[in-house]
Amino acid sequence: MTANARSAPAPYRGYAAQESVTGEGVALELPVANIGSRMVSGLIDLVVNGLACWGLIVAAIALTQGTSEAVARTAMIVVIVGVLVGVPATTEALTRGRTLGKLAMGLRVVRDDGGPVSSRHTITRALVGWPEIYLTTGVAAAIAALSSSRVKRLGDQAAGTYVVSERSRLQLPPPPSMPAELEAWAAHADIAALDPGLATALRQFLPRATSFAPEARDAHGRQLLGRVLVSVAPPPPPGHHPEIVLRAVAAERYRRDLTRIARDQRLRDAVLPRER
């Protein structure tokens, strides 16, 4: 491989802005599902739900023959709402975020923090999906998804969820270790949460730094350091290589995030009933 070929880093892939951290502390980034796969998934569900709705309407007509018009209309409303709202909400709740279309496309609905959805999330998504998808023929959902970094439709924004692609799951390498010479500084520094795009670039740069040409490695490291230091106070002690400082910031942010997630989980367990 020539120096020119190694001079420019490969483009970073877009992943969910917030990572999921398992109970073992292993960070997993789940790529956000693109709008194309979501549309195909939605079309599959639309066809399945449409066929189910048609079959149940025929059955409802047969069962309500000879009854009043009000009874027949009520039966129709129950069937339509049950299929178009109740079925997706129930299916996603029971399968932890999947419908038939999402299963076919390898997608899953998750909470904004990466955890599994509950019935509250799926019901909200389905209720908002009624006007968003069916009454506007999907136009509102497409506009909302295209304007969202996580390809969120309005139902996702209301429920606090987004859709990820499980087939492209990436297990990140272990988090960078804390450089001993900067451990004391990092522990007492005010390190704000990094912009999601910057955090992803930082996590992907550090393990790949040795694959860059020396000039590109140094330039990219300094460029990242300039962006990172905007969120850090006080600045690190002078005289340290940019990559050393970046590793210290990444390691300390990871430690603090794990602590915050564990604290939030303990708080939820203390005040909320366990979701089933």
Side-chain angles (χ1 to χ4, degrees):
M1 183 181 292
T2 66
N4 289 337
R6 299 170 59 227
S7 61
Y12 294 122
R13 181 173 184 180
Y15 287 86
Q18 202 167 357
E19 67 181 18
S20 304
V21 181
T22 69
E24 294 76 25
V26 179
L28 298 176
E29 283 194 341
L30 302 175
V32 176
N34 59 54
I35 192 168
S37 61
R38 292 201 61 176
M39 289 179 66
V40 174
S41 168
L43 287 174
I44 294 174
D45 289 333
L46 187 62
V47 171
V48 172
N49 292 341
L51 292 174
C53 193
W54 177 80
L56 290 174
I57 286 176
V58 172
I61 292 174
L63 292 173
T64 57
Q65 282 184 347
T67 62
S68 66
E69 184 178 350
V71 172
R73 287 184 177 179
T74 301
M76 293 293 183
I77 293 173
V78 171
V79 167
I80 294 173
V81 174
V83 172
L84 301 186
V85 176
V87 169
T90 303
T91 303
E92 287 183 355
L94 293 177
T95 61
R96 293 303 180 100
R98 283 178 166 180
T99 59
L100 187 60
K102 291 182 178 66
L103 181 62
M105 298 302 297
L107 308 181
R108 184 187 293 273
V109 182
V110 297
R111 301 193 310 252
D112 279 343
D113 64 359
V117 293
S118 66
S119 57
R120 174 176 62 83
H121 300 97
T122 62
I123 291 173
T124 301
R125 294 182 79 255
L127 287 175
V128 178
W130 171 264
E132 177 189 11
I133 297 174
Y134 297 104
L135 298 187
T136 67
T137 62
V139 173
I143 293 174
L146 287 171
S147 62
S148 169
S149 61
R150 286 189 175 184
V151 198
K152 285 185 164 196
R153 64 175 179 85
L154 297 177
D156 290 313
Q157 295 177 23
T161 59
Y162 67 104
V163 180
V164 296
S165 175
E166 291 191 309
R167 291 177 182 170
S168 301
R169 179 179 295 179
L170 172 67
Q171 182 167 342
L172 295 178
S177 57
M178 173 64 69
E181 59 268 36
L182 289 179
E183 185 173 4
W185 164 78
H188 296 90
D190 182 7
I191 305 176
L194 301 179
D195 173 82
L198 175 58
T200 298
L202 178 60
R203 288 195 297 267
Q204 295 189 1
F205 167 72
L206 290 174
R208 301 169 55 203
T210 56
S211 66
F212 294 1
E215 299 82 3
R217 177 178 180 177
D218 183 69
H220 200 59
R222 293 184 183 280
Q223 186 261 344
L224 280 176
L225 180 62
R227 297 172 61 192
V228 166
L229 289 183
V230 174
S231 304
V232 176
H240 294 285
H241 192 275
E243 287 181 33
I244 298 293
V245 179
L246 291 175
R247 284 209 307 271
V249 171
E252 182 62 20
R253 277 304 321 172
Y254 185 79
R255 184 190 69 79
R256 295 183 186 184
D257 286 342
L258 284 181
T259 302
R260 173 182 54 80
I261 291 170
R263 182 181 65 248
D264 292 347
Q265 186 61 54
R266 288 194 299 270
L267 179 61
R268 282 194 295 266
D269 291 342
V271 301
L272 296 176
R274 290 186 176 273
E275 295 178 351
R276 295 184 178 181

